[in-house]
Amino acid sequence: MKPRPGLTITKIAMHDGISIFYAVWFNQPFIKKNIQPGINLFVTGKVDKGFGATQVMVEEYEVDDGGDSLSAGRLVPVYPLTGQLSQRQMRAMVKSALDGISDRAGEFLPASILEKFNLPQYEEALLKIHYPQRKEDADAARRRFIFEELFLFQLALATRKKSRFSREKAHRYLPEGDLLRSFIDNLPYRLTAGQEKVWDEISRDMDSTAPMHRLLQGDVGAGKTVISGMALLKAVESGLQGALMAPTEILAEQHYLGMKKAFSSIGVEAGLLTGGMRKKEKEILLERVRLGELKVLVGTHALIQEDVDFQRLGLAIVDEQHRFGVRQRAVLGYKGYCPDVLVMTATPIPRTLALTLYGDLDISVIDEMPPGRQPVITHAVLPHALAKAYGLIREHVRRGCQAYIVCPLVEESEKVDLRAAVELAESLAAGEFRDFRVGLLHGRMKSGEKEDVMSLFRGGEIKLLVSTTVIEVGVDVPNATVMVILDADRFGLAQLHQLRGRVGRGRRQSYCILVASPKTEEGRARLRVMTRTTDGFALAEEDLRLRGPGEFYGTRQAGLPEFKVADLLRDWKVLQVARGEAVACVAEDPRLEKEENRVLQKEIRARFGGAGSFIEIG
């Protein structure tokens, strides 16, 4: 049948033992030669029960030769395909491969764990996850592989953590002295209970003979910077050096200026190292670091360049650590002999991911804000309400406050985003805000230009800062009380929360206006949750639910392997159980040297050894 040029329809009448139906193929005229009348045939496809006879739009078919079919009359696997491969061919190849390896498939999970959780043996699970007799068989096999993936990964992390505790650092810290006490006394507020709790944890780690490896989590504005300053001063008081690495020049300069102001009154000097420094200035700075004259060095990834040598590095701090790759963080630690390492993040991490991304680190959380801070009031509005948002900015600027307008993400092109930012800043300066000084900040500006703009904004001369997402982290101007984010639905939840954290850093009520006309339900959901809560941890859980674990945290860069069966969101309970079993196993056999555990060590190396600096045993 040719209903129109380029389209051939082939129909074969079939009887299923009850009635007649038609199997239908499109543009496969050879079918009538391949299929002879009177044979038994299995067909799979979409069933159309419209007017007239029932039809099956055939996706797959198989001639019944009386043997054991891999594609019909049973539960069948559905594989991703490429090229001209069909499901039938793929199933035959997989079955052949399984038949070839089944005799050599070795079990590596301890018998006690298999028995405790009623998990099938490896060979049985491998066969039944592909070709189960019953759905229950497939479910049991999948449950085994989910546990296996999470257990082996947690075992690798637990082994790595245990090996760190077996090392002994060369440096020791003196008891708390005048520098640290003076720093705390000079703070404009008392430490919160949350800050005191995490400082006790960090201080104990630093006093230990084993190097510290701790993650400090805290919502935007929770006071992590103060804790990092205290840790650096503890190192300085003990004759050691400390380094703090930040992902952007703006954030590095922010840390440096804050430390310069806070440390100068107690006689401690801090230095700043960035990629844009003049050569002579950089040489002088690095010589002072090498001789031990400069005790505190703040910088970007320039800190991990080969020409940076510390005389006695005792403490390495990495801020906004998810912006760095695993190897970059490790290289900073190699600048000293087993230095204490503190990594910080203002991007709250759901517990499920924290157990996985940072299972080898101890975790501290600042769970309260400094006194006097008010939650930022957040509104989501349609673009036609932009004039009212601009009116709010004018009102606050007239009161002596400042504001941000964040440009939209136009596309995955920094040049296009830059052009939009420049045009917006020029338009606003000549139009709605011609009575105020408008500044512009973007990632392609030279270091000196960025520093000049931020200096003018901090000093209050620039009243309105038009910016790309370069201000996402670290910018701390307490006088800024309004932020307007254009096309807010194009940003992720974590990014929106970080941007909103640039206001509300003083005692005045602050506002964040999300301007958007979202086209998707996910975009609308992000805006809804942003207006309902300012709790970063609640937002992180929602972000994980909306986006899934693979996209939530840049997991490839962070070092998280791509699990083949396990899903961190769905299988979080299994993750916790697997972690408990892994910790117990390593507590009994720290290096997995017992005979029954050597096969586990071999399996870990096979799966995660390629991660290099991420997984190490022994």
Side-chain angles (χ1 to χ4, degrees):
M1 182 188 307
K2 286 192 174 184
R4 65 172 185 266
L7 176 63
T8 300
I9 298 177
T10 303
K11 288 187 177 183
I12 293 180
M14 299 185 65
H15 195 284
D16 61 5
I18 299 175
S19 61
I20 296 287
F21 69 94
Y22 289 93
V24 181
W25 285 264
F26 295 97
N27 289 330
Q28 298 182 54
F30 55 83
I31 289 295
K32 58 186 179 183
K33 294 181 181 179
N34 293 352
I35 299 175
Q36 303 302 315
I39 67 170
N40 291 328
L41 190 69
F42 295 114
V43 294
T44 304
K46 183 179 178 180
V47 177
D48 181 6
K49 290 186 176 181
F51 297 105
T54 299
Q55 298 186 125
V56 176
M57 310 307 165
V58 179
E59 296 174 5
E60 296 179 51
Y61 73 94
E62 182 179 347
V63 175
D64 180 12
D65 60 3
D68 184 15
S69 172
L70 297 178
S71 298
R74 61 181 301 161
L75 289 171
V76 296
V78 178
Y79 299 108
L81 301 174
T82 185
Q84 300 300 311
L85 270 178
S86 67
Q87 287 290 345
R88 187 170 46 172
Q89 292 169 323
M90 192 68 184
R91 286 169 190 149
M93 288 189 289
V94 170
K95 185 64 166 64
S96 176
L98 288 172
D99 291 342
I101 67 168
S102 60
D103 291 339
R104 303 191 301 275
E107 181 60 72
F108 47 83
L109 289 182
S112 57
I113 285 181
L114 294 174
E115 183 178 352
K116 183 176 182 178
F117 299 107
N118 192 29
L119 301 175
Q121 291 273 346
Y122 179 79
E123 179 183 336
E124 178 188 353
L126 194 60
L127 291 171
K128 289 185 176 178
I129 201 167
H130 287 277
Y131 294 102
Q133 294 299 316
R134 304 171 303 153
K135 183 177 181 300
E136 291 78 10
D137 295 336
D139 291 342
R142 186 172 293 106
R143 191 161 50 86
R144 183 245 153 76
F145 288 120
I146 289 170
F147 181 90
E148 171 191 307
E149 284 191 311
L150 297 175
F151 173 69
L152 288 174
F153 187 71
Q154 290 299 321
L155 194 60
L157 291 175
T159 307
R160 184 184 188 195
K161 183 175 181 179
K162 196 74 173 179
S163 72
R164 283 175 172 168
F165 280 109
S166 67
R167 300 173 188 170
E168 185 170 338
K169 58 193 178 190
H171 59 278
R172 294 291 183 271
Y173 294 90
L174 298 176
E176 184 178 309
D178 294 337
L179 284 181
L180 192 50
R181 281 193 291 269
S182 297
F183 175 76
I184 296 172
D185 291 342
N186 289 342
L187 291 173
Y189 59 85
R190 293 186 59 184
L191 294 176
T192 64
Q195 286 174 311
E196 289 181 343
K197 176 176 70 72
V198 301
W199 173 244
D200 285 342
E201 293 168 350
I202 291 169
S203 187
R204 279 200 305 272
D205 280 0
M206 294 175 75
D207 289 334
S208 168
T209 58
M212 170 175 69
H213 285 87
R214 184 170 288 274
L215 169 69
L216 174 57
Q217 280 197 84
D219 216 336
V220 287
K224 299 179 299 298
T225 303
V226 170
I227 299 299
S228 67
M230 293 168 65
L232 289 167
L233 288 176
K234 184 178 176 72
V236 171
E237 282 193 311
S238 303
L240 302 167
Q241 292 170 295
L244 188 153
M245 184 167 69
T248 67
E249 291 190 357
I250 289 177
L251 182 51
E253 184 190 17
Q254 181 88 33
H255 279 301
Y256 167 69
L257 292 175
M259 288 178 186
K260 182 180 178 181
K261 181 179 178 181
F263 289 0
S264 60
S265 61
I266 54 177
V268 175
E269 182 186 2
L272 176 65
L273 177 66
T274 63
M277 291 180 69
R278 295 185 182 90
K279 184 178 180 182
K280 187 64 177 176
E281 183 185 6
K282 180 180 178 181
E283 288 174 352
I284 294 173
L285 179 71
L286 293 182
E287 180 66 9
R288 296 188 63 209
V289 172
R290 187 180 67 80
L291 295 175
E293 295 175 10
L294 191 64
K295 301 295 186 183
V296 177
L297 185 60
V298 180
T300 59
H301 61 276
L303 288 178
I304 60 176
Q305 293 175 353
E306 288 185 10
D307 57 352
V308 181
D309 291 315
F310 292 86
Q311 185 192 61
R312 200 177 178 210
L313 181 65
L315 173 67
I317 301 176
V318 181
D319 193 20
E320 291 304 326
Q321 51 70 42
H322 64 285
R323 298 293 192 88
F324 295 101
V326 175
R327 296 181 187 278
Q328 288 176 304
R329 297 197 295 267
V331 169
L332 181 59
Y334 295 148
K335 294 290 182 179
Y337 180 74
C338 290
D340 292 298
V341 176
L342 177 67
V343 296
M344 303 192 300
T345 181
T347 302
I349 309 165
R351 177 168 173 76
T352 306
L353 281 188
L355 285 175
T356 310
L357 287 166
Y358 303 110
D360 60 326
L361 300 181
D362 296 304
I363 299 177
S364 293
V365 179
I366 302 178
D367 53 8
E368 59 182 309
M369 302 297 283
R373 295 277 180 92
Q374 300 182 60
V376 177
I377 295 174
T378 305
H379 296 291
V381 301
L382 293 169
H384 64 69
L386 187 58
K388 287 186 178 180
Y390 286 167
L392 180 65
I393 290 178
R394 280 193 293 272
E395 179 186 333
H396 277 245
V397 171
R398 288 193 183 104
R399 292 180 194 167
C401 300
Q402 293 162 274
Y404 301 94
I405 293 181
V406 179
C407 298
L409 295 167
V410 178
E411 57 180 54
E412 291 299 319
S413 166
E414 193 176 13
K415 287 183 178 180
V416 178
D417 287 344
L418 166 61
R419 185 168 65 247
V422 172
E423 291 173 356
L424 178 63
E426 291 174 350
S427 171
L428 293 175
E432 288 91 340
F433 300 104
R434 56 185 172 275
D435 297 332
F436 310 125
R437 185 167 181 181
V438 177
L440 171 65
L441 190 69
H442 56 76
R444 295 178 74 89
M445 294 170 70
K446 294 179 180 178
S447 299
E449 293 174 330
K450 291 179 188 175
E451 291 171 12
D452 291 342
V453 171
M454 285 310 303
S455 178
L456 291 170
F457 189 59
R458 291 189 193 100
E461 293 184 51
I462 290 177
K463 300 300 182 184
L464 172 62
L465 184 62
V466 177
S467 175
T468 60
T469 56
V470 70
I471 62 159
E472 182 185 341
V473 294
V475 176
D476 185 5
V477 180
N479 195 46
T481 55
V482 180
M483 171 172 283
V484 173
I485 304 176
L486 302 178
D487 288 353
D489 56 316
R490 297 187 181 185
F491 298 86
L493 264 181
Q495 197 170 33
L496 286 173
H497 183 57
Q498 286 286 346
L499 288 167
R500 177 171 60 182
R502 300 314 105 208
V503 294
R505 305 182 79 86
R507 292 180 176 271
R508 298 182 183 182
Q509 180 62 63
S510 296
Y511 298 84
C512 180
I513 311 300
L514 307 173
V515 182
S517 180
K519 302 295 189 295
T520 65
E521 180 52 40
E522 184 179 331
R524 290 188 284 271
R526 285 199 300 270
L527 298 184
R528 278 197 301 271
V529 73
M530 280 293 295
T531 62
R532 291 174 182 171
T533 182
T534 56
D535 183 338
F537 289 94
L539 286 170
E541 293 288 352
E542 180 66 13
D543 203 11
L544 180 62
R545 187 187 69 78
L546 287 173
R547 290 201 282 162
E551 298 298 324
F552 174 81
Y553 208 60
T555 49
R556 285 186 180 277
Q557 184 203 22
L560 181 65
E562 185 177 341
F563 295 114
K564 292 180 173 60
V565 187
D567 180 290
L568 296 179
L569 185 58
R570 181 196 64 207
D571 303 320
W572 64 273
K573 289 184 178 179
V574 182
L575 172 64
Q576 291 182 321
V577 171
R579 178 174 172 77
E581 293 296 326
V583 169
C585 181
V586 170
E588 186 178 315
D589 184 10
R591 298 176 65 86
L592 302 182
E593 292 177 323
K594 291 185 178 179
E595 185 66 34
E596 63 269 26
N597 289 335
R598 286 180 184 172
V599 66
L600 279 174
Q601 185 181 125
K602 183 179 178 181
E603 190 67 26
I604 291 171
R605 287 190 186 280
R607 296 199 186 196
F608 307 119
S613 60
F614 183 60
I615 297 296
E616 55 189 37
I617 299 178

